[in-house]
Amino acid sequence: MPYSIEEIIRALDAGCLQGVHPVPPVERLLFDSRQLFFAETGIFFALKGKRHDGHSFIHEAYAEGVRNFVVSKPVPLEGLAGANVLLVEDTLRALQALAAYH
């Protein structure tokens, strides 16, 4: 991949809740907070499922080193200093759109 956060914003037509902070280029797509390998070069998609909502794990992912997030609803930004938080209508569609863009 690698893509700049600015390029991802354009590809997803995303809004910014917080950012754009300079970070290493994004090389990994992350959606499971239990498997955050190479977190510093990843972007976390807060996917909603039947039993879990990825928005609940944003601060945990941040603690593991993730600095780029895609959300579909406002999230508390306290404790996310230096993070880019992008707002889209649907995080699953955004993940699919970024895959198609790639």
Side-chain angles (χ1 to χ4, degrees), residues 12-30:
L12 301 181
D13 193 26
C16 269
L17 292 179
Q18 179 173 290
V20 170
H21 298 283
V23 293
V26 172
E27 297 176 349
R28 309 258 189 269
L29 304 178
L30 309 169

Side-chain angles (χ1 to χ4, degrees), residues 35-76:
Q35 299 177 356
L36 297 175
F37 306 109
F38 305 102
E40 62 279 351
T41 59
I43 186 164
F44 182 82
F45 286 79
L47 300 176
K48 293 181 184 178
K50 290 182 181 181
R51 298 192 305 157
H52 298 287
D53 182 347
H55 294 83
S56 300
F57 301 101
I58 289 173
H59 285 84
E60 180 181 318
Y62 180 88
E64 293 295 322
V66 177
R67 293 298 180 265
N68 297 298
F69 300 89
V70 179
V71 300
S72 60
K73 63 183 180 183
V75 296

